[in-house]
Amino acid sequence: LDGHGVGVTVADGENLEEMYAACRGAVLSSGPHAVVAKRKMAPGIEEVEGSNHGHDAVAASIAIPYFEKRGNTAAVEYLKLTTKTSDPREYKCAGSMSAMRGVVGQTVVDVLSEMDADYRKSSVMVIDSDLGGSTNFNKIQSTHPEVYVQSGVMERGNFAAAAGFGMHPHKQGVFSTFAAFLEMLCSEITMARLNRSNVFCHFSHSGVDDMSDNTCHFGLNPLFADNGLEDGYDTALYFPADSNQAASVVRRTFPLVGDGFANVGLRFVFTTRSKTPLLLNDDGTEIYGEGYEFVPGKDEVLREGTAGYVVATGDAVYRALDAVTRLREEGVDIGLINKVTIHAPDAEMMEKVASAPLCLVVESLGRKTGMGSRYGTWLMETEHCASGKGMPKFGRIATYREGEGGTWEQAYHQGFDSESIMRKVKEMLA
C-alpha cells in the first residue's frame, strides 16, 4: 500500500489508545489511508496465544489455568465436570463404525495409485482448501504430491481453478471442502458446467450429525450444486450410506475412464462428519460387502415391504434401517430404500414407490432444499400417479431448525432419529 502512495499506520490491535490514535489519524488525513492492526490470536492464553489453535476449542487443560488466574471459579468448576456423552441407542442391523469421509480420501488415493504415473500427473489436479485433515485429502498430498495443490481457505477460487484444469476433455480437477461451504460455489459451478469441465468433488460434514460447530457448519444444501438445465453438462450428486458403499461410489464415479465405463462432468460425493455403522442384512452379513458395485442413478431396496417404504439417504439410512427392523418385529411390514443418487429420480423405483400405500422420505439435509423437497414432485410425475391411480400417503423428515449444541444429539433434535422415524410411520399408517 505504501508503495502505491497510500498512507499506512501500523498499530497494536490490543492497545486501544494506539488504535484510537491510528484511526483518528486516518480520518484526518487527506486521501486514502490504511490502518494495519497487528495482533496475536488468543492473547493472554498460554500455549495458544499467537497460534492457529485459537481457531478451535481450547483444551480444558489450558482453559482451567486461564480462568483460575482470573478468579472465575464457576467456569473452572464447569470445565472439570464429566460432560462427554455418546448416543445411547443400540442400532439393529448395524456393524462396526467408520468414517465415510476418511474412506473417500483413501479410495481416491487408491485409484490414483493404480494409474500410470505420467497419465496421473498430466490428467489430475487436486486442489485442497486447507481441510485435508478433515476430508482425508491430506493422504493424497503425502502419497501423490505431484498432483496436489495446497491452497488457502478460498473455496470459490479453488473450485474455479479445479474446473479450469478440467476444461480439457481428458483432464479433471479434484476439489474438497465442507458441505456448508458449497453454497458459496453456485456461480462457479454454473460456469464450470457451461465450460464443460470435469470436476470430482468431495464435500464432507454433510447434514448435521456430530456437528459440534452447530448451525454455521450444517451441510444442508447439497442440491444447490444441481443448479443447471436439464440438457446441461452432466452433474451428479451422491450421498452414500456407509463406508463400504462410499468406497464403491468413488471407484465408480472418480476415474474419467474405468473398466467398462466413463465419467464426465461435475460429480459431487457427500459424506458426514460423524462415523456411521456398516449396514447389515438380517443374517448379519454386510449389505455393501464383497461383490457390491455401485450403479449411478439406481436406488436400492434394502428391505421389501407391503405397508409402504421409507426412502432415506446418507446417515439417515442406518437410523431408518434400525427403525424399519424394529417396526417389522412389531408386525409392521414396512420397507426401506437407500437413495444414493440424490439429484434425480430412478424411474423404475419411483413407479414402485408410487404404487405403495406409504412413502416417508428421511434425510439429514435441509427440509426446504433437500431431497424430500423434490421427491413429492417426482411421485406426481410417475406413470402410476399421472394415470389417476392415486399417490401414496407422503411424509418428510429432515433438518428444519437451528441447532442447540451437542454432537450426536443433533439427529434427535431434528427428529430423524430412529424413534422419531418409527413414530412418524405409525402416525401415517393410523
Side-chain angles (χ1 to χ4, degrees), residues 37 46 99 161 256 287 313 319 352:
E46 294 181 13
L256 286 181
I287 293 177
T313 190
R319 295 181 169 92
K352 182 182 185 74

Side-chain angles (χ1 to χ4, degrees), residues 194-276:
L194 293 175
N195 287 322
R196 303 181 70 81
S197 296
N198 300 316
V199 187
F200 177 85
C201 303
H202 174 209
F203 286 87
S204 69
H205 293 55
S206 305
V208 303
D209 190 28
D210 206 34
M211 208 70 72
S212 55
D213 287 325
N214 223 19
T215 311
C216 66
H217 274 56
F218 282 2
L220 303 178
N221 301 307
L223 285 159
F224 279 18
D226 186 33
N227 59 0
L229 300 171
E230 292 185 9
D231 65 348
Y233 201 48
D234 286 359
T235 303
L237 284 64
Y238 307 108
F239 197 175
D242 72 7
S243 290
N244 284 344
Q245 187 171 56
S248 186
V249 167
V250 173
R251 284 201 164 273
R252 176 57 182 82
T253 63
F254 170 47
L256 286 181
V257 180
D259 184 10
F261 64 86
N263 292 302
V264 296
L266 310 179
R267 287 141 289 140
F268 299 83
V269 176
F270 299 94
T271 62
T272 57
R273 179 182 189 267
S274 61
K275 292 182 177 180
T276 56

Side-chain angles (χ1 to χ4, degrees), residues 87-385:
D87 188 351
R89 185 82 171 184
E90 291 187 11
Y91 292 92
K92 291 182 176 289
C93 297
S96 60
M97 303 289 285
S98 57
M100 288 192 287
R101 57 190 171 114
V103 169
V104 168
Q106 182 58 56
T107 307
V108 171
V109 169
D110 294 342
V111 174
L112 288 172
S113 299
E114 294 164 7
M115 294 180 181
D116 172 79
D118 291 336
Y119 172 74
R120 178 175 61 239
K121 187 173 182 179
S122 65
S123 65
V124 178
M125 178 179 287
V126 182
I127 301 180
D128 181 61
S129 302
D130 279 354
L131 290 172
S134 294
T135 64
N136 211 30
F137 270 31
N138 56 352
K139 288 193 174 182
I140 304 174
Q141 182 182 25
S142 60
T143 309
H144 299 295
E146 73 279 4
V147 302
Y148 189 91
V149 178
Q150 184 172 8
S151 190
V153 183
M154 47 181 185
E155 274 80 358
R156 296 186 68 180
N158 292 342
F159 180 87
F165 182 83
M167 286 175 63
H168 190 285
H170 303 305
K171 296 183 179 183
Q172 71 171 330
V174 180
F175 173 82
S176 75
T177 188
F178 292 175
F181 307 145
L182 182 147
E183 299 163 22
M184 68 179 74
L185 301 177
C186 290
S187 60
E188 279 71 24
I189 291 171
T190 295
M191 295 309 299
R193 189 180 296 111
L194 293 175
N195 287 322
R196 303 181 70 81
S197 296
N198 300 316
V199 187
F200 177 85
C201 303
H202 174 209
F203 286 87
S204 69
H205 293 55
S206 305
V208 303
D209 190 28
D210 206 34
M211 208 70 72
S212 55
D213 287 325
N214 223 19
T215 311
C216 66
H217 274 56
F218 282 2
L220 303 178
N221 301 307
L223 285 159
F224 279 18
D226 186 33
N227 59 0
L229 300 171
E230 292 185 9
D231 65 348
Y233 201 48
D234 286 359
T235 303
L237 284 64
Y238 307 108
F239 197 175
D242 72 7
S243 290
N244 284 344
Q245 187 171 56
S248 186
V249 167
V250 173
R251 284 201 164 273
R252 176 57 182 82
T253 63
F254 170 47
L256 286 181
V257 180
D259 184 10
F261 64 86
N263 292 302
V264 296
L266 310 179
R267 287 141 289 140
F268 299 83
V269 176
F270 299 94
T271 62
T272 57
R273 179 182 189 267
S274 61
K275 292 182 177 180
T276 56
L278 297 179
L279 304 183
L280 305 179
N281 294 303
D282 287 327
D283 61 6
T285 59
E286 295 175 359
I287 293 177
Y288 298 116
E290 187 176 353
Y292 168 76
E293 292 185 1
F294 172 68
V295 179
K298 298 299 293 182
D299 300 345
E300 301 169 349
V301 177
L302 303 189
R303 298 290 190 273
E304 288 285 2
T306 58
Y309 290 94
V310 175
V311 180
T313 190
D315 57 308
V317 177
Y318 80 85
R319 295 181 169 92
L321 180 57
D322 175 69
V324 165
T325 302
R326 294 174 188 271
L327 285 168
R328 292 163 71 91
E329 290 174 351
E330 295 178 10
V332 181
D333 189 26
I334 194 78
L336 175 61
I337 295 171
N338 176 16
K339 184 161 184 57
V340 185
T341 303
I342 61 174
H343 69 285
D346 174 354
E348 181 181 357
M349 195 66 71
M350 292 306 304
E351 295 295 336
K352 182 182 185 74
V353 176
S355 61
L358 174 151
C359 171
L360 174 63
V361 178
V362 183
E363 60 187 320
S364 59
L365 308 180
R367 181 174 172 84
K368 287 185 175 183
T369 61
M371 183 183 70
S373 67
R374 298 185 176 193
Y375 206 88
T377 301
W378 293 339
L379 279 174
M380 288 190 291
E381 293 174 342
T382 60
E383 182 179 339
H384 178 90
C385 293

Side-chain angles (χ1 to χ4, degrees), residues 8-82:
V8 178
T9 303
V10 179
D12 179 0
E14 291 297 307
N15 187 322
L16 293 181
E17 292 183 357
E18 191 173 315
M19 282 296 299
Y20 174 81
C23 292
R24 182 175 184 276
V27 172
L28 296 177
S29 65
S30 59
H33 193 100
V35 174
V36 179
K38 290 190 173 183
R39 63 180 296 276
K40 293 180 178 180
M41 184 178 283
I45 304 179
E46 294 181 13
E47 297 185 51
V48 178
E49 180 178 346
S51 74
N52 60 3
H53 295 299
H55 178 70
D56 203 348
V58 176
S61 60
I62 296 174
I64 288 174
Y66 175 84
F67 286 124
E68 285 177 338
K69 288 182 179 179
R70 287 156 178 78
N72 193 335
T73 56
V76 171
E77 290 174 2
Y78 181 80
L79 288 172
K80 289 181 178 180
L81 294 174
T82 302

